[in-house]
Amino acid sequence: MTTLDSGLKRVVVTGLGAITPIGNTLAEYWDGLMSGRNGIGPITLFDASRHDCRIAGEVKNFDPQLYMDRKEAKRMDRFAQFAVSASKQALADANFVINDLNAEQVGTLIGTGIGGLKVMEDQQEVFLARGPDRCSPFTVPMMIANMAAGLTAIQVGAKGPNNCTVTACAAGSNAIGDAFRILQRGFAQAMICGGTEAAVTPLSVAGFASAKALSTRNDDPLHACRPFDKDRDGFVMGEGAGILILEELEHALSRGARIYAEIVGYGMTCDAYHITSPVPGGAGAARAMQLAMKDAGLRPEEIHYINAHGTSTPANDSTETAAIKTALGDQAYKLTVSSTKSMTGHLLGGSGGIEAVATVMAVANNRVPPTINLENPDPACDLDYVANESRSQTVDAALSNSFGFGGHNVTLAFRKYQG
């Protein structure tokens, strides 16, 4: 049987795609994580000389024409280009062909925190300098957040459920969790899901810096993002996309698919506390982890690894540490925790996508990525954060955490596939 006692269908991960600051394919991304590669440097996408923060995790050497023609690329904001490209990677990785026979059973659910902000900023400048009649007719369809999912579906021919989550930095994880629910209930056979973001723009960087959220370690970008370190001073913006192909188990088995892992749990809560700050003690984050484990039927002692939200902000890292202790009790000190944001920066709505990819790969390969730049641990952050070097270990089950402005908390649970 491929259903749970409740009648819900089992769901597995059969394909992965990644466009990131440390690599533009799954293989490059995973190699970058394992080697502790740092993707953070001076901002080159715009002149940041007047900004308090002048560093970011930019995607390098990205060519959208590897995945679409020039005309199509010109009509997409960068965040949508990332999503389409990573989605096509993931479909190829899954050896999944969408055709007239299955198109209506393949859905798309891709989250983003902000959407096409670059297009919005550029067209506002056109409007002010040249007048309203000079704005591009593609302004709205290029900037609206749902276009990552919409354009991906158009590009690959997926006619099943289509949606977009916009829950700040939890958006990518919400998208994967919601896609998981759709498949559990039999409303599709496969889902293209994850998160994307391209918010390294003048207004975005200025806004986050004004909120005192960003690191200003401009003269030392390689050491700027330092989750759980006592000397952390804020997050570093990143960009990119992470996409998973989720399939109902019977469907995957029927076509002989390679299975990376099984997705087994999804928990989400709200702090209902503050627009940007987590609730002290991390009660909401702890409940999200507990709900994901309950949904998965996993006990705390079965969790071997947590890919932390780990933003490198003073508030998040200590709060998340406290939440992990609340959710997992003594097991918190026996498992490993790491923040891959130390290498990629924070992709906002895209972070849940690439971090779910990292978590699935950890389960599949029994190897966990490090937290780089962890040189002077914060006494309030006293767990095993896999400091500076990746580690081989058993990873039978793992959690991936994403938390967003507005108090959104999301946890995904993955485990090794067992027939």
Side-chain angles (χ1 to χ4, degrees):
M1 294 292 291
T2 59
T3 57
L4 304 177
D5 291 342
S6 63
L8 298 176
K9 296 178 182 294
R10 292 173 65 182
V11 181
V12 293
V13 183
T14 60
L16 300 169
I19 303 289
T20 80
I22 59 172
N24 293 342
T25 65
L26 173 64
E28 290 176 357
Y29 174 52
W30 182 242
D31 178 71
L33 291 176
M34 291 299 97
S35 61
R37 185 182 305 145
N38 197 317
I40 294 168
I43 291 173
T44 65
L45 292 170
F46 65 90
D47 179 4
S49 59
R50 296 173 58 198
H51 285 66
D52 291 337
C53 175
R54 299 184 292 278
I55 55 176
E58 296 181 346
V59 169
K60 292 94 174 162
N61 304 313
F62 172 66
D63 181 4
Q65 293 182 61
L66 293 174
Y67 304 96
M68 65 199 81
D69 68 35
R70 182 174 177 272
K71 184 177 181 181
E72 291 169 332
K74 285 176 65 67
R75 293 178 176 179
M76 294 185 199
D77 184 88
R78 190 169 166 91
F79 90 107
Q81 292 177 351
F82 289 157
V84 169
S85 301
S87 296
K88 289 186 175 181
Q89 284 183 20
L91 285 167
D93 184 52
N95 195 27
F96 194 111
V97 178
I98 300 174
N99 54 39
D100 290 342
L101 296 177
N102 65 12
E104 293 180 2
Q105 289 297 315
V106 182
T108 310
L109 214 167
I110 300 174
T112 183
I114 297 178
L117 185 58
K118 180 65 164 60
V119 165
M120 189 185 304
E121 291 182 30
D122 289 348
Q123 290 301 307
Q124 173 70 356
E125 289 187 10
V126 170
F127 171 79
L128 293 174
R130 303 170 64 188
D133 58 339
R134 301 308 297 270
C135 289
S136 168
F138 295 99
T139 298
V140 173
M142 288 176 72
M143 77 180 187
I144 52 180
N146 67 296
M147 275 298 168
L151 286 166
T152 295
I154 291 168
Q155 287 278 314
V156 304
K159 298 180 180 180
N162 192 289
N163 206 346
C164 166
T165 51
V166 184
T167 46
C169 304
S173 290
N174 270 135
I176 295 166
D178 289 353
F180 169 49
R181 292 282 187 252
I182 287 170
L183 292 168
Q184 278 189 313
R185 286 158 174 77
F187 293 116
Q189 293 177 332
M191 292 292 294
I192 305 161
C193 58
T196 187
E197 203 79 87
V200 182
T201 70
L203 183 60
S204 176
V205 172
F208 279 112
S210 293
K212 307 301 181 185
L214 297 181
S215 171
T216 55
R217 203 182 294 261
N218 297 307
D219 296 331
D220 189 16
L222 292 179
H223 298 93
C225 192
R226 41 199 316 115
F228 308 109
D229 192 275
K230 188 171 72 172
D231 298 322
R232 65 191 184 276
D233 71 329
F235 78 84
V236 178
M237 188 86 72
E239 61 170 0
I243 298 293
L244 285 67
I245 304 301
L246 300 186
E247 287 187 62
E248 188 272 314
L249 176 58
E250 271 187 13
H251 185 267
L253 293 176
S254 71
R255 66 180 193 87
R258 179 263 329 275
I259 295 173
Y260 282 105
E262 183 173 2
I263 179 169
V264 288
Y266 176 32
M268 58 176 169
T269 67
C270 184
D271 288 344
Y273 172 71
H274 189 271
I275 58 173
T276 57
S277 297
V279 63
R287 286 193 300 115
M289 285 181 265
Q290 290 168 334
L291 288 170
M293 289 187 289
K294 180 179 180 181
D295 188 37
L298 290 168
R299 302 184 305 276
E301 56 266 30
E302 295 178 278
I303 305 297
H304 295 143
Y305 170 63
I306 297 176
N307 188 292
H309 188 56
T311 57
S312 187
T313 58
N316 176 87
D317 298 358
S318 57
T319 302
E320 186 171 10
T321 297
I324 292 170
K325 294 176 187 177
T326 298
L328 287 104
D330 292 342
Q331 182 65 12
Y333 289 97
K334 299 175 184 178
L335 52 72
T336 52
V337 179
S338 66
S339 172
T340 48
K341 288 184 179 72
S342 59
M343 293 170 272
T344 65
H346 188 358
L347 274 63
L348 308 181
S351 61
I354 66 165
E355 288 159 19
V357 170
T359 307
V360 167
M361 288 292 282
V363 171
N365 293 282
N366 285 320
R367 192 165 176 86
V368 297
T371 305
I372 68 169
N373 295 326
L374 184 49
E375 299 164 351
N376 188 14
D378 183 341
C381 301
D382 58 349
L383 303 179
D384 181 353
Y385 303 107
V386 196
N388 301 309
E389 293 186 3
S390 61
R391 188 181 306 170
S392 294
Q393 66 165 80
T394 298
V395 186
D396 288 336
L399 305 179
S400 182
N401 285 339
S402 296
F403 313 134
F405 282 2
H408 303 284
N409 305 299
V410 178
T411 300
L412 302 171
F414 299 92
R415 71 178 176 200
K416 278 187 167 53
Y417 165 66
Q418 298 174 340

